[in-house]
Amino acid sequence: MRLGVNIDHVATLRQARRGKYPDPVAAAALAELGGADQITLHVREDRRHVNDRDLEILRKTVNGTLNLEMAAVQPMLDLALHHRPDTATLVPERREELTTEGGLDVGSHRDEIKRVTRGLRDAGVEVSLFVDPEVEQIKASHRVDAQAVELHTGRYCEARTNKDRARELARIIEASKAAARLGLRVAAGHGLDYWNVQPVAGIDEITELNIGYAIICRAVLTGIERAVRDMKDLIK
Ligand code: PXP
């Protein structure tokens, strides 16, 4: 199972002061030292966290694969063609949302998604579509020539009862199998954490998980003791 670490949340912290740190580029290097197989970043149209400078440096410094999450629009296609990530994951994007809220509705945006997919593939960038775990979305992804899908695990992660969680997991399993049957590479992500990840990691067809928030949150807590000690040493 490959792990993609999403470093957007480090950039969110940097943007809180519009300063230089914490630098998502440094976070990506450390994530790779920790075993991340992929660095994932979402350059939003409003550049609210990760920006063009981050993408430019990460393209040069990441040793594993670089996965750019982007909206299926011309300016983002231009950006991707300029920087050439290994994979582009097309995601829906709304300005007012806190984070990506749902998967792409591939059928309703078929022409635009197909056009952007073609442009990326022609440049050698693998295309993945972030979709809800629904067989219809998987079939539509295949029809627009995507090479991979990333299944949205948000509803599974938010399920409050065992019954709901089991039902959402079954949807992810069914969608994974449908995608694999069509020859699509299968990734999953959104909301995965240290308590809910294992049943998803156990699905044979899924070969990659993209996880951000839970890892960065844990890093804040596991790193606090050392950070305070370093400051105490300085001011002693
Ligand atoms: N995959 C996609 C497509 C996403 O948009 C996100 C959130 O940025 C993630 C994975 C990671 O989600 P989380 O930060 O909740 O782990």
Side-chain angles (χ1 to χ4, degrees), residues 6 8-9 69 91 99-100 130 150 189-192 210-213:
N6 182 313
D8 298 351
H9 309 286
E69 295 176 1
V91 298
T99 179
T100 316
F130 184 53
E150 177 170 336
H190 209 287
L192 294 172
N210 286 297
I211 307 180
Y213 192 67

Side-chain angles (χ1 to χ4, degrees), residues 51-100:
N51 58 36
D52 300 48
R53 168 265 183 202
D54 302 330
L55 175 59
E56 184 178 351
I57 303 178
L58 286 168
R59 175 63 294 185
K60 293 181 186 144
T61 55
V62 166
N63 294 291
T65 52
L66 187 68
N67 173 28
L68 173 66
E69 295 176 1
M70 55 177 262
V73 295
Q74 188 62 42
M76 297 311 299
L77 174 60
D78 293 342
L79 187 77
L81 294 181
H82 181 66
H83 293 287
R84 309 274 175 119
D86 298 287
T87 301
T89 301
L90 303 186
V91 298
E93 198 173 298
R94 289 193 300 120
R95 251 161 222 270
E96 63 276 21
E97 69 192 357
L98 281 179
T99 179
T100 316

Side-chain angles (χ1 to χ4, degrees), residues 12 44 97 108 135:
T12 299
R44 284 180 167 264
E97 69 192 357
S108 313
V135 173

Side-chain angles (χ1 to χ4, degrees), residues 10-26:
V10 177
T12 299
L13 202 52
R14 177 188 61 191
Q15 294 316 103
R17 291 278 172 100
R18 309 234 187 293
K20 282 191 179 169
Y21 64 80
D23 189 343
V25 173

Side-chain angles (χ1 to χ4, degrees), residues 10 95 102 138 147 174 208 223 227:
V10 177
R95 251 161 222 270
I138 306 297
Q147 293 141 299
E174 190 193 356
E208 175 188 301

